[in-house]
Amino acid sequence: MNIVVLISGSGSNLQAIIDHCENGNIPGSIVGVISNRPEVKGLERAKQHGIPTVTLDHKGFSDREAFDQALAKRIDTFKPDLVILAGFMRILTPQFVEHYLGKMLNIHPSLLPKYPGLNTHKRALEAGDKEHGVTVHFVTPELDGGPTVIQAKVAVIEGDTEESLAQKVLEQEHIIYPKAAAWFCEGRLQLTGGKAFLDQKEINL
Ligand code: GRF
């Protein structure tokens, strides 16, 4: 399975997926990493593992459509079976999403459908939530709204801050994202009729 990972920053999720590909837990290999921001740490991580990298700066494009078209062109040169959004901080056009429907995953730091969009840790704290977490989902045109594949929960305790929550959630991200990627590469995970299935059973979380 050819995997292309899209990033915008640190790439710690990318690193987790690289590690699980290299140790054989994910039956696939990352054939390319693309960042919309230049000189981010995630690009360095990829280079250290001999993975081809591309920087495609969205600032060089007149509009969202033009950027997404150029991005899809670059992605497709890698002939991906799976596209993984790992901290890729862009809103995607419906055309782009349609093009990869059923083979593109995203990770979002909240227990979706709670808190789509930004500042999820802050919003969970302000709401007084006792639990918070992270979701891996198939990407559909609705922002952070595609069918859930897997979630992990963390407890929110007295004294937690945005930073402490982010750290706890990130640890869980590094566990569940490689797991979801492995399921996909093993042929166990599908998007059918707008629903996610694992081993032919609908995922209902
Ligand atoms: C993660 O919190 C992820 O959930 C969010 O962006 C962050 C990416 O972190 N979408 P990293 O670049 O993988 O370290």
Side-chain angles (χ1 to χ4, degrees), residues 1 3 5 11-30 82 84-86 105-108 134-137 149-152 169-189 198:
M1 285 274 180
I3 304 170
V5 183
S12 68
N13 280 287
L14 165 67
Q15 186 68 58
I17 292 164
I18 290 173
D19 294 345
H20 284 269
C21 286
E22 288 185 351
N23 71 18
N25 287 342
I26 299 174
S29 55
I30 302 177
L82 172 63
I84 291 184
L85 308 181
L105 297 174
N106 183 40
I107 193 157
H108 182 75
V134 54
T135 305
V136 173
H137 63 93
V149 170
I150 185 170
Q151 289 187 319
V169 167
L170 206 53
E171 278 169 28
Q172 295 303 314
E173 296 187 22
H174 300 160
I175 297 168
I176 67 169
Y177 217 178
K179 198 175 213 178
W183 287 343
F184 189 94
C185 291
E186 288 160 357
R188 298 172 58 194
L189 181 65
L198 178 64

Side-chain angles (χ1 to χ4, degrees), residues 5-186:
V5 183
L6 307 190
I7 60 166
S8 301
S10 142
S12 68
N13 280 287
L14 165 67
Q15 186 68 58
I17 292 164
I18 290 173
D19 294 345
H20 284 269
C21 286
E22 288 185 351
N23 71 18
N25 287 342
I26 299 174
S29 55
I30 302 177
V31 292
V33 169
I34 305 177
S35 173
N36 67 310
R37 295 213 178 104
E39 289 164 29
V40 292
K41 187 167 172 196
L43 289 168
E44 278 316 306
R45 295 180 193 269
K47 282 177 194 153
Q48 273 165 20
H49 289 263
I51 300 167
T53 61
V54 174
T55 300
L56 196 64
D57 193 338
H58 60 276
K59 292 191 192 117
F61 292 84
S62 55
D63 56 34
R64 205 174 280 288
E65 282 71 25
F67 174 73
D68 277 9
Q69 274 173 23
L71 179 60
K73 216 168 160 185
R74 282 311 276 119
I75 294 171
D76 289 348
T77 60
F78 291 117
K79 304 204 182 325
D81 300 296
L82 172 63
V83 177
I84 291 184
L85 308 181
F88 187 60
M89 302 302 284
R90 294 280 306 168
I91 291 173
L92 303 165
T93 56
Q95 293 86 333
F96 182 91
V97 173
E98 280 300 325
H99 186 63
Y100 299 105
L101 198 63
K103 57 179 195 172
M104 184 157 65
L105 297 174
N106 183 40
I107 193 157
H108 182 75
S110 79
L111 295 172
L112 289 171
K114 270 191 162 185
Y115 314 132
L118 298 173
N119 302 317
T120 58
H121 310 308
K122 186 165 184 256
R123 287 152 76 192
L125 282 173
E126 282 172 359
D129 291 354
K130 293 282 168 265
E131 61 178 19
H132 182 45
V134 54
T135 305
V136 173
H137 63 93
F138 277 107
V139 179
T140 62
E142 194 192 337
L143 178 71
D144 299 325
T148 293
V149 170
I150 185 170
Q151 289 187 319
K153 292 178 180 168
V154 302
V156 183
I157 55 167
E158 187 85 32
D160 260 329
T161 60
E162 272 184 66
E163 292 69 32
S164 68
L165 267 190
Q167 189 50 43
K168 282 196 270 189
V169 167
L170 206 53
E171 278 169 28
Q172 295 303 314
E173 296 187 22
H174 300 160
I175 297 168
I176 67 169
Y177 217 178
K179 198 175 213 178
W183 287 343
F184 189 94
C185 291
E186 288 160 357

